[in-house]
């Protein structure tokens, strides 16, 4: 930020906090404290980032007060001319940035975007042909008997997605999630030896299962995906290819993933969050081909109610930022830094799932330290290192305790961390884990949750981190009065 912008940002936030404090001082205080805490911690959560002050400020306006159900130029409420401006601009930036034929920017989150996508695919592939057969234009024309058979047909579809413990997301057909209930689902995993996606195995499963929807994309897979291959598999079995790029949208936007690794030219429907590597406001988005656009465009009323117009405005600002050359530099650094982090672990003898990374995250297998993911996550947090525990493929400790820790580079790269810092981060993490012992249960057996962190380790790591964090301040120049 330039000095002028820092000064403006500092006074804007200081004054905003005074306004808030006049009503509920504890919220103003918690907001100040959150900034202080984020500034003081080594944020390695792969799904988090730091949005710019422009993006954050855009969310705090009167657009929040406006109802705008419907689509641009076709609203169920009066007075939506400014929301129309906001939504059109956000969609235009998204189309241009990703080279997409169509963009829908209303979803409130990644999960919402996936629900919109699932129901759009069902509407396009199942409902519309059924209506045509019956000779109806609209579901309102159906008789009770027609409805009954349409419901059966809609509820009898198959989805094939990546399993949670291989790195997929719970919305990709995980049983307890609605995606695992609204579809008959099967999951593909990764190769048990290499940990890599095995496209032949995915193809074999698809041939046997014949899904309506093939979902690609992940939350915890440290490698790139060949979306051209996934599309070939989908085409062979007549499936719609849906790619959920929630985690790596920033790498697509920043042209680190191009050609076969760019999902947009290959998928029928692409969903994403806007707040992870893309560095925008919390929210979701759906990109689609012309063919799927009309059904995605009916996200409201199909799945959504009123859009969050203030967040759509912030999406437009963030997407405008992502179209600048500086975002490409950022995205490349995110990937380069993940290499540095991975090398930092490997050179110190730690185990990484798949043996490394070629995206923005690494999955550290902590079993060689004799720890569960839960113990590792907690011990690291004591030392000021914020991560999240994560299953590894075929995890012996299940989805709660886990055997892994997932680490990502997007947030600290935004702060300006580079190769040396990420190498040092790996060193500090290995130091914490090597000095952590599993605790014992009340009955005296080994605990999967409690742990004992060696004396002085937390303080040593905290002061080493503080040195790096001070060198790369979060929101440089932003000072609250
Ligand atoms: C984070 C994530 C989501 C969900 O996003 P929310 O905004 O938390 O609902 C969906 N899919 C994938 C692959 C994700 O990583």
């Amino acid at each position: 930020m330039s000095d002028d912008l820092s000064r403006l940002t500092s006074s804007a936030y200081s004054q905003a906090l005074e306004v808030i404090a006049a009503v509920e001082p504890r919220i103003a205080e918690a907001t100040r404290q959150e900034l202080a805490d984020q500034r003081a911690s080594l944020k390695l959560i792969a799904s988090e980032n730091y949005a710019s002050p422009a993006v954050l400020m855009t969310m705090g306006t009167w657009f929040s007060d406006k109802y705008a159900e419907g689509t641009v130029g076709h609203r169920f409420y009066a007075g939506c001319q400014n929301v129309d401006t906001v939504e059109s601009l956000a969609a235009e930036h998204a189309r241009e940035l990703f080279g997409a034929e169509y963009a829908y920017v209303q979803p409130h989150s990644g999960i919402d975007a996936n629900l919109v996508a699932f129901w759009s695919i069902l509407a396009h592939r199942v409902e519309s042909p059924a209506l045509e057969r019956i000779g109806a234009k609209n579901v309102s024309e159906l008789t009770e008997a027609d409805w009954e058979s349409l419901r059966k047909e809609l509820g009898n579809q198959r989805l094939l997605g990546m399993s949670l413990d291989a790195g997929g997301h719970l919305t990709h057909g995980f049983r307890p999630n609605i995606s695992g209930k609204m579809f008959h689902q099967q999951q593909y995993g990764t190769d048990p030896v290499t940990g890599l996606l095995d496209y032949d195995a995915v193809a074999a499963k698809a041939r046997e299962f014949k899904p309506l929807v093939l979902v690609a994309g992940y939350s915890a897979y440290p490698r790139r995906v060949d979306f051209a291959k996934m599309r070939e598999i989908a085409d062979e079995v007549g499936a719609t290819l849906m790619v959920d790029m929630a985690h790596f949208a920033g790498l697509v936007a920043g042209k680190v993933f191009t050609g076969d690794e760019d999902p947009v030219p290959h998928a029928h429907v692409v969903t994403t969050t806007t707040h992870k590597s893309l560095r925008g406001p919390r929210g979701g988005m759906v990109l689609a081909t012309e063919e799927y656009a009309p059904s995605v465009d009916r996200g409201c009323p199909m799945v959504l109610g009123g859009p969050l117009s203030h967040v759509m405005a912030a999406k437009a600002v963030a997407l405008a930022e992502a179209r600048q050359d500086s975002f490409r530099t950022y995205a490349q650094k995110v990937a380069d830094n993940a290499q540095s982090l991975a090398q930092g672990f490997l050179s110190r003898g730690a185990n990484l799932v798949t043996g490394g990374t070629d995206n923005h995250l690494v999955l550290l297998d902590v079993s060689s330290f004799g720890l569960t993911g839960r113990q590792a996550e907690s011990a690291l947090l004591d030392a000021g290192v914020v991560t999240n525990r994560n299953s590894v493929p075929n995890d012996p400790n299940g989805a709660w305790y886990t055997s892994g820790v997932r680490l990502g580079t997007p947030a600290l790269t935004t702060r300006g961390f580079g190769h040396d810092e990420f190498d040092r981060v790996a060193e500090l993490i290995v130091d914490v884990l090597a000095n952590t012992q599993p605790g014992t249960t009340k009955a005296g057996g080994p605990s999967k949750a409690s742990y004992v962190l060696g004396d002085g380790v937390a303080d040593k790591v905290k002061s080493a981190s503080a040195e790096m964090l001070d060198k790369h301040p979060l929101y440089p120049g932003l000072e609250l009065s």
Side-chain angles (χ1 to χ4, degrees):
M1 271 195 297
S2 70
D3 287 353
D4 274 354
L5 264 182
S6 312
R7 221 175 9 255
L8 285 172
T9 307
S10 299
S11 74
Y13 276 120
S14 299
Q15 289 169 28
L17 287 168
E18 270 182 57
V19 173
I20 296 165
V23 180
E24 177 45 291
R26 289 169 294 184
I27 292 298
E29 191 42 44
T31 308
R32 284 175 184 273
Q33 191 57 46
E34 181 60 23
L35 176 61
D37 290 354
Q38 290 206 22
R39 280 180 155 165
S41 63
L42 217 47
K43 174 147 79 167
L44 288 156
I45 293 182
S47 48
E48 292 190 5
N49 211 329
Y50 306 104
S52 72
V55 168
L56 297 178
M57 282 181 182
T58 307
M59 281 188 280
T61 78
W62 25 93
F63 270 122
S64 172
D65 299 332
K66 190 73 197 93
Y67 244 108
E69 280 176 51
T71 48
V72 174
H74 185 77
R75 305 283 184 188
F76 292 88
Y77 288 81
C80 294
Q81 60 282 2
N82 299 310
V83 178
D84 281 355
T85 303
V86 158
E87 184 169 352
S88 328
L89 259 176
E92 181 188 314
H93 280 313
R95 287 193 309 268
E96 294 288 329
L97 176 64
F98 291 109
E101 291 174 9
Y102 166 84
Y104 187 66
V105 297
Q106 292 193 17
H108 311 334
S109 68
I111 282 205
D112 273 9
N114 285 351
L115 265 183
V116 167
F118 291 146
W119 283 107
S120 304
I121 294 166
L122 287 172
H124 181 68
R125 298 277 315 266
V126 182
E127 188 179 286
S128 296
L131 292 179
E132 205 164 303
R133 274 201 308 277
I134 294 163
K137 277 214 171 54
N138 194 294
V139 284
S140 62
E141 298 169 31
L142 299 183
T143 65
E144 213 29 64
D146 294 335
W147 248 120
E148 197 50 40
S149 65
L150 177 59
R151 248 200 305 265
K152 272 210 191 92
E153 211 174 326
L154 283 169
N156 204 24
Q157 302 302 321
R158 291 181 294 272
L159 175 141
L160 178 61
M162 194 177 198
S163 70
L164 197 62
D165 74 348
H169 189 257
L170 54 110
T171 50
H172 299 178
F174 186 49
R175 274 277 156 75
N177 182 262
I178 188 164
S179 58
K181 296 177 183 174
M182 63 186 274
F183 289 104
H184 297 286
Q185 56 82 30
Q186 277 194 20
Q187 309 265 281
Y188 58 86
T190 46
D191 183 274
V193 177
T194 61
L196 297 172
L197 255 179
D198 175 350
Y199 296 94
D200 292 337
V202 178
K205 201 152 220 182
R207 273 180 218 122
E208 190 193 317
F209 185 52
K210 298 210 173 14
L212 178 83
V213 191
L214 174 64
V215 182
Y218 54 80
S219 302
Y221 179 66
R223 296 290 175 175
R224 302 185 185 190
V225 175
D226 184 335
F227 296 111
K229 268 197 190 138
M230 295 303 275
R231 175 60 186 259
E232 257 174 49
I233 297 170
D235 283 347
E236 190 193 325
V237 301
T240 298
L241 177 63
M242 169 177 155
V243 175
D244 179 352
M245 64 170 183
H247 248 264
F248 54 89
L251 299 183
V252 179
K255 310 291 179 229
V256 175
F257 293 179
T258 57
D260 294 348
E261 295 163 354
D262 177 352
V264 180
H266 303 293
H268 299 94
V269 180
V270 176
T271 59
T272 186
T273 58
T274 46
H275 50 275
K276 297 183 182 175
S277 54
L278 194 53
R279 211 163 63 180
R282 296 203 81 79
M285 199 160 69
V286 183
L287 308 175
T289 56
E290 294 287 0
E291 184 193 352
Y292 283 81
S295 53
V296 175
D297 211 39
R298 290 199 298 271
C300 165
M302 193 162 45
V303 171
L304 303 172
L308 311 178
S309 303
H310 56 309
V311 180
M312 291 197 295
K315 286 172 188 169
V317 174
L319 291 163
E321 287 177 349
R323 291 183 65 187
Q324 295 171 359
D325 287 343
S326 56
F327 194 85
R328 290 195 184 195
T329 312
Y330 164 70
Q332 188 57 52
K333 279 187 190 155
V334 166
D336 293 346
N337 284 336
Q339 291 300 318
S340 306
L341 184 65
Q343 283 310 316
F345 283 123
L346 295 172
S347 68
R348 292 174 179 89
N351 290 334
L352 301 179
V353 173
T354 77
T357 176
D358 49 31
N359 56 22
H360 63 295
L361 68 88
V362 302
L363 193 52
L364 178 63
D365 185 336
V366 297
S367 50
S368 63
F369 294 96
L371 301 171
T372 64
R374 170 107 189 242
Q375 290 162 328
E377 174 195 82
S378 305
L380 287 168
L381 189 62
D382 290 347
V385 184
V386 189
T387 65
N388 65 281
R389 65 185 186 278
N390 209 101
S391 316
V392 302
N394 310 309
D395 202 310
N397 288 319
W400 178 251
Y401 293 109
T402 80
S403 304
V405 173
R406 189 185 63 164
L407 308 154
T409 54
L412 290 177
T413 302
T414 296
R415 282 185 80 142
F417 276 47
H419 169 80
D420 293 351
E421 286 91 352
F422 274 101
D423 181 62
R424 182 89 169 111
V425 166
E427 184 184 11
L428 295 175
I429 289 174
V430 168
D431 199 16
V432 171
L433 299 181
N435 285 289
T436 303
Q437 302 298 324
T440 45
T441 60
K442 283 201 190 94
S447 168
K448 289 187 176 193
S450 68
Y451 60 96
V452 183
L453 180 57
D455 278 347
V457 177
D459 286 342
K460 193 177 80 183
V461 169
K462 272 185 191 163
S463 71
S465 310
E467 217 170 280
M468 291 189 283
L469 292 167
D470 287 349
K471 216 171 99 195
H472 300 286
L474 172 60
Y475 302 124
L478 168 57
E479 282 171 41
L480 300 179
S481 59

